[in-house]
Amino acid sequence: MEVKARGVALNGLRYAPRFQRTSIGQVQPFRSSTANAAEAQYVFHSQLEDSSAADLFSSLKKSQQSPQTLTEKIIQKYSLGLPQGKLVKSGDYVTLAPHHCMTHDNSWPVALKFMSIGASKIHDKKQIVMTLDHDVQNKSESNLKKYRQIEEFAKKQGVDFYPAGRGIGHQIMVEEGYAWPGTLAVASDSHTNMYGGIGCLGTPVVRTDAASIWATGRTWWQIPPITRVTFTGVLPRGVTGKDVIVALCGLFSKDEVLNHAIEFTGSEASLNSLPVDDRLTIANMTTEWGALTGLFPIDSVLERWLRYKATMAALYPSHELPTSATHTRFDHNRLSELFANPLQADKGAKYAKYLYLDLSSLAPYVSGPNSVKVATPLNKLENQHIKINKAYLVSCTNSRASDLKAAAKVFKDAAAENGGAIPKIADHVNFYIAAASLPEQEAAEATGDWQAMLDAGAQPLPAGCGPCIGLGTGLLEPGEVGISASNRNFKGRMGSTEAKAYLASPEVVAASALKGKISGPGWYERPEGWSGVIRKGGNAVSEEDKMITAEEALEKAIGQLDSLLETAEKIMEGAMADTTAKSSETDILPGFPEKVSGEIVFCDADNINTDGIYPGKYTYQDDVTTEKMAEVCMSNYDPGFSSIAKEGDILVSGFNFGCGSSREQAATAILAKKIPLVVAGSFGNIFSRNSINNALMGVEVPKLVQRLRETFSGMPSIEPKAVVEPSQNRESLDSSPPNPPTVPRKEKLLTRRTGWTLVWDVRHSRVEIQEGAGGPKWSQTVGTLPPNVQEIIACGGLEKWVKKQIQLPA
């Protein structure tokens, strides 16, 4: 109880500014002037007389290092060019050299970018992995030609290559040991988050980033805000990792973790109830939750899984390359080194948000229809008798041997009541199965699980993405209803935009196929006294303390006390300057403008996605001219934009601008319109990356959006509409479906010439706004633009920067 009281008392300090750490012994204001040298190490006099107080404050004795999250520690390991003593933190721009980089079917477009910048040899062939997994059912000559080109390029460069049918790239990265605990791995696909299930920080990159890594071994990243999700309780029987992440997506559906890094934690019992395969599922779908990473701790559960992998790698040959290196990656000596001192978050590390979920209060959940933000307890949908037409046990999310076993058990249990014969699926249902990889399929075959599903009438597909991304056999037709163990269910993802798609665990998918309607296997056992899901979010200690342990409360109290001491140090040193009145100067690199100015053109909507900025029907046309790009820029949002916006204007929009797919043309089309700067309340992360990569500048100024709305249109207030995925957006599906654009009701103008002007003073990190002739004038400090980002923009984008780098003498 004392710990909770201390946490409450310090709650107001949670957002105290973070400053460079000094040792606590140097906090002069709190030290007695008569203290001798031996006593100088203490902060408070009570430490000399009260041993219990000494225990608390001794935990605060640190070196001159601020506590870091697990995410920050991994980024620290893989950052290049950091100043001496620099500890990275959320918000920093860093240059990264990832441990591994995977590309899949998009390897050939990446290769074309790689060659177009003058590169001829991959910087580090051991860093790169290429897989073929997306369109493996497509036997057309054009696709087979692309696959041949990728394989020949991989062999020429000497990089590890996995052919079509071997498995989904993310599963290969995990099962072959490329994704490794405590390392950083990237891939040109949004579900790279999956690697976090084994304690590897995985995050997606776009094609230009991948080409940069091929050529130079490095790329850039801005460390996102970091959210800690704490699990309490243990999973009841019949509840899976899929239910956990489906519930999280539905329970926290207001973009709480949008563009965040997530760290999962909890008690030993809670984490022990989540085996590695469940963790991989949860981490995989943090993408749909809106996050950029989903990281689990490096703990005993992971160690047992890795030890098993190491033993199997030593005993049996790999499905990898003829000269397999898997046994060197999964090696017991390497594991002993890893777990002798595993990376973990520091006590007192600061997080942007704290979310809590009681696992013991969960029941089986189903996502949809057509949205991961809609999550419903299974029993409610069972009562609605929702007839299905297709069922899918596919994807890197839930098609490992354990998933196939859970699905097969549904049919085996039914066989016990059917004279030992496997019953057939419902007559009106097509049930498709594809393993996450060939080894996972073979494991299921060895146990009879694969055959049990075939006997029930399942249709096998090659190990690959297939229906999950709307490619190949078995897509949803207009009017059909499907249920899948995959990760995305927004309209058009798995076929027709006029179909309905649900997501669920493998056993629920199998039971639904068997019964012909959304159903469960009946394994769930509701805990005694259950009254609903218990979860907490936000920052109110009075709410959180209901779910956190005494140890967590002490850790939080320590972190809050750290902030108090840091603030006190700066106050006494006279260093707490008013940052709104005075901003420090930023060094400006040659070729980068000190100021950018223009008239504001206001597109008054939130969640304008990349299809609104650049229509999907042009995304895969390689011959679109710059003039045509300028003409269609923003046309799906407002057909009149082209005639309203002029060269040199500054485009201002609402919040989450540029959410959606990874198409780079969303940035280049704005540049084609000769608009040099975009200002928004906030940006979608993928758009931010593409903007910098293509030399489009962007600044977040929420206050400006507020002032424009107050002046011209009032706040947004209309009902949302359904999100429809562009039909030609098949290869760039790598972010969660955004909330629909929200447009103010008072005004019908989608695009408005405001008569206001904006000046971005880059050197002083400040924007100056003139609200029309004779109107108010005000300024606001904005984020600094670091030199490494300036350099990329000044060079004309990442491709030109890479070209410059590879031309430099060694």
Side-chain angles (χ1 to χ4, degrees):
M1 296 301 294
E2 293 177 358
V3 170
K4 288 188 178 182
R6 187 184 304 275
V8 171
L10 296 171
N11 184 46
L13 299 169
R14 177 171 299 164
Y15 292 110
R18 178 182 293 187
F19 300 102
Q20 181 60 42
R21 208 76 162 89
T22 59
S23 66
I24 290 178
Q26 295 172 351
V27 185
Q28 298 292 337
F30 295 106
R31 192 187 306 159
S32 168
S33 60
T34 60
N36 59 34
E39 295 173 343
Q41 61 182 306
Y42 297 103
V43 180
F44 298 109
H45 180 70
S46 62
Q47 288 184 262
L48 301 175
E49 301 176 358
D50 185 344
S51 59
S52 61
D55 289 340
L56 170 63
F57 289 110
S58 65
S59 68
L60 292 172
K61 290 171 59 182
K62 302 182 178 77
S63 64
Q64 296 183 0
Q65 293 187 353
S66 295
Q68 288 181 304
T69 65
L70 179 57
T71 299
E72 290 166 341
K73 284 191 171 185
I74 295 175
I75 293 299
Q76 185 83 36
K77 284 176 56 180
Y78 291 92
S79 293
L80 302 176
L82 294 176
Q84 183 68 30
K86 163 68 176 176
L87 292 178
V88 302
K89 62 182 184 299
S90 176
D92 287 347
Y93 284 89
V94 291
T95 299
L96 293 175
H99 184 56
H100 283 296
C101 173
M102 186 271 286
T103 55
H104 47 61
D105 289 30
N106 57 22
S107 296
W108 187 242
V110 174
L112 294 176
K113 282 182 173 289
F114 172 80
M115 292 182 284
S116 72
I117 59 180
S120 58
K121 183 178 180 181
I122 285 180
H123 178 80
D124 180 2
K125 65 181 182 181
K126 294 182 179 179
Q127 187 183 33
I128 308 303
V129 181
M130 297 185 192
T131 67
L132 299 180
D133 60 5
H134 271 49
D135 205 9
V136 297
Q137 297 178 47
N138 184 354
K139 305 301 181 183
S140 68
E141 179 53 35
S142 61
N143 192 59
L144 294 177
K145 178 182 178 181
K146 181 175 74 173
Y147 277 11
R148 286 195 300 271
Q149 289 172 321
I150 294 171
E151 183 171 8
E152 290 169 1
F153 182 85
K155 290 181 177 179
K156 178 182 178 181
Q157 295 290 336
V159 304
D160 288 359
F161 170 80
Y162 295 83
R166 169 57 179 79
I168 301 172
H170 298 308
Q171 178 65 25
I172 290 171
M173 289 288 286
V174 170
E175 71 187 17
E176 293 293 345
Y178 296 106
W180 189 256
T183 68
L184 169 70
V186 300
S188 55
D189 185 275
S190 63
H191 289 104
T192 311
N193 296 30
M194 186 177 106
Y195 311 156
I198 57 168
C200 170
L201 187 64
T203 194
V205 294
V206 296
R207 297 174 182 181
T208 301
D209 294 314
S212 170
I213 295 169
W214 286 12
T216 68
R218 60 192 189 273
T219 188
W220 67 274
W221 204 49
Q222 184 181 22
I223 306 174
I226 304 169
T227 291
R228 187 171 74 176
V229 177
T230 301
F231 293 131
T232 61
V234 297
L235 283 183
R237 183 177 184 272
V239 182
T240 70
K242 186 58 163 278
D243 299 309
V244 173
I245 188 59
V246 167
L248 285 171
C249 289
L251 295 171
F252 299 99
S253 60
K254 307 301 182 185
D255 293 338
E256 288 92 340
V257 297
L258 181 66
N259 295 332
H260 280 219
I262 294 175
E263 292 185 14
F264 294 103
T265 187
S267 68
E268 183 177 359
S270 298
L271 292 174
N272 281 343
S273 73
L274 293 171
V276 167
D277 281 2
D278 277 350
R279 297 179 182 195
L280 291 169
T281 297
I282 294 169
N284 182 291
M285 277 192 63
T286 56
T287 301
E288 280 63 42
W289 198 13
L292 299 176
T293 70
L295 189 61
F296 275 85
I298 303 171
D299 62 359
S300 59
V301 174
L302 178 60
E303 182 175 14
R304 289 192 295 271
W305 183 84
L306 288 168
R307 291 290 183 185
Y308 173 79
K309 293 285 291 183
T311 300
M312 297 302 290
L315 292 175
Y316 301 102
S318 170
H319 284 80
E320 195 202 345
L321 308 171
T323 55
S324 174
T326 309
H327 68 282
T328 64
R329 290 189 286 270
F330 290 108
D331 175 77
H332 284 291
N333 291 330
R334 188 184 183 198
L335 291 176
S336 295
E337 293 178 5
L338 171 66
F339 287 97
N341 186 28
L343 283 179
Q344 57 185 341
D346 290 327
K347 297 290 185 183
K350 297 176 178 63
Y351 294 86
K353 293 184 181 179
Y354 298 83
L355 305 179
Y356 296 83
L357 180 67
D358 185 348
L359 298 179
S360 62
S361 70
L362 282 182
Y365 264 79
V366 176
S367 171
N370 298 342
S371 174
V372 293
K373 294 178 181 289
V374 178
T376 307
L378 171 64
N379 66 320
K380 290 188 176 181
L381 294 183
E382 284 182 307
N383 294 334
Q384 297 177 29
H385 304 286
I386 300 172
K387 182 180 177 181
I388 68 164
N389 305 97
K390 291 185 172 74
Y392 305 90
L393 182 50
V394 299
S395 86
C396 54
T397 312
N398 272 121
S399 284
R400 285 169 281 278
S402 61
D403 302 311
L404 301 172
K405 182 178 183 66
K409 187 177 186 301
V410 172
F411 299 104
K412 291 180 178 180
D413 286 354
E417 301 176 2
N418 190 41
I422 296 290
K424 295 294 183 181
I425 60 175
D427 291 339
H428 62 278
V429 174
N430 287 305
F431 181 29
Y432 301 95
I433 61 174
S437 70
L438 189 56
E440 296 294 319
Q441 178 177 328
E442 291 180 348
E445 289 172 342
T447 58
D449 295 327
W450 190 262
Q451 189 59 48
M453 288 187 285
L454 296 182
D455 291 345
Q459 302 176 48
L461 300 174
C465 302
C468 176
I469 54 168
L471 295 173
T473 301
L475 304 188
L476 289 172
E477 299 293 336
E480 288 189 331
V481 175
I483 188 166
S484 176
S486 54
N487 45 43
R488 284 195 185 141
N489 63 342
F490 50 95
K491 283 192 174 184
R493 169 73 175 185
M494 300 181 69
S496 172
T497 58
E498 299 175 20
K500 291 183 178 180
Y502 293 85
L503 302 178
S505 66
E507 46 264 55
V508 169
V509 169
S512 300
L514 181 61
K515 298 177 184 179
K517 60 182 181 179
I518 295 180
S519 306
W523 300 343
Y524 170 59
E525 296 179 359
R526 176 175 292 181
E528 185 177 349
W530 182 88
S531 60
V533 177
I534 302 173
R535 50 100 177 186
K536 298 292 178 184
N539 297 292
V541 170
S542 59
E543 295 283 331
E544 293 173 357
D545 278 349
K546 298 176 183 177
M547 299 191 67
I548 64 177
T549 65
E551 180 182 1
E552 290 173 319
L554 177 59
E555 179 182 338
K556 185 176 294 184
I558 290 171
Q560 293 164 348
L561 187 54
D562 282 347
S563 292
L564 168 64
L565 296 176
E566 291 169 350
T567 304
E569 292 169 15
K570 293 300 181 181
I571 291 174
M572 300 309 294
E573 292 169 6
M576 294 289 289
D578 183 353
T579 56
T580 61
K582 179 180 179 180
S583 57
S584 59
E585 290 192 359
T586 300
D587 291 334
I588 303 298
L589 297 183
F592 197 88
E594 289 200 21
K595 293 185 178 182
V596 181
S597 62
E599 181 179 346
I600 293 174
V601 171
F602 187 33
C603 292
D604 190 2
D606 295 332
N607 304 304
I608 296 179
N609 62 30
T610 50
D611 188 62
I613 301 169
Y614 189 77
K617 64 183 179 180
Y618 298 106
T619 301
Y620 299 103
Q621 296 181 21
D622 298 329
D623 57 350
V624 180
T625 64
T626 301
E627 292 74 19
K628 185 65 175 179
M629 291 183 75
E631 177 187 334
V632 303
C633 177
M634 301 293 291
S635 61
N636 270 7
Y637 163 72
D638 179 9
F641 177 87
S642 179
S643 61
I644 297 172
K646 300 177 181 178
E647 179 179 344
D649 284 342
I650 292 175
L651 172 60
V652 178
S653 189
F655 293 85
N656 202 23
F657 182 82
C659 53
S661 73
S662 66
R663 68 191 66 167
E664 294 184 300
Q665 296 96 324
T668 56
I670 294 174
L671 286 171
K673 190 64 178 171
K674 297 184 179 179
I675 293 173
L677 174 65
V678 180
V679 178
S682 63
F683 291 102
N685 179 267
I686 206 73
F687 181 82
S688 294
R689 289 202 68 84
N690 279 328
S691 293
I692 293 174
N693 286 349
N694 290 281
L696 174 65
M697 294 178 283
V699 183
E700 294 184 349
V701 190
K703 179 182 176 181
L704 176 58
V705 177
Q706 179 183 354
R707 286 291 302 133
L708 285 164
R709 285 177 170 169
E710 289 172 351
T711 303
F712 294 109
S713 56
M715 297 303 291
S717 60
I718 68 167
E719 292 298 319
K721 298 179 181 179
V723 178
V724 179
E725 179 200 339
S727 61
Q728 297 189 29
N729 190 22
R730 294 292 183 230
E731 294 182 27
S732 59
L733 298 175
D734 50 6
S735 69
S736 56
N739 286 325
T742 307
V743 183
R745 176 173 284 156
K746 288 186 178 181
E747 290 284 343
K748 299 300 182 182
L749 292 180
L750 296 176
T751 306
R752 175 192 298 274
R753 296 201 68 82
T754 63
W756 294 19
T757 57
L758 179 148
V759 178
W760 177 27
D761 185 339
V762 181
R763 182 176 295 281
H764 296 97
S765 301
R766 183 174 61 233
V767 293
E768 300 169 351
I769 309 297
Q770 175 64 57
E771 296 186 3
K777 184 175 183 179
W778 52 274
S779 65
Q780 180 175 333
T781 300
V782 295
T784 60
L785 199 67
N788 59 342
V789 176
Q790 287 184 40
E791 185 177 4
I792 292 171
I793 295 175
C795 285
L798 187 61
E799 289 186 35
K800 294 180 179 179
W801 177 86
V802 171
K803 187 173 184 179
K804 178 181 177 182
Q805 295 299 307
I806 63 178
Q807 291 174 345
L808 293 174

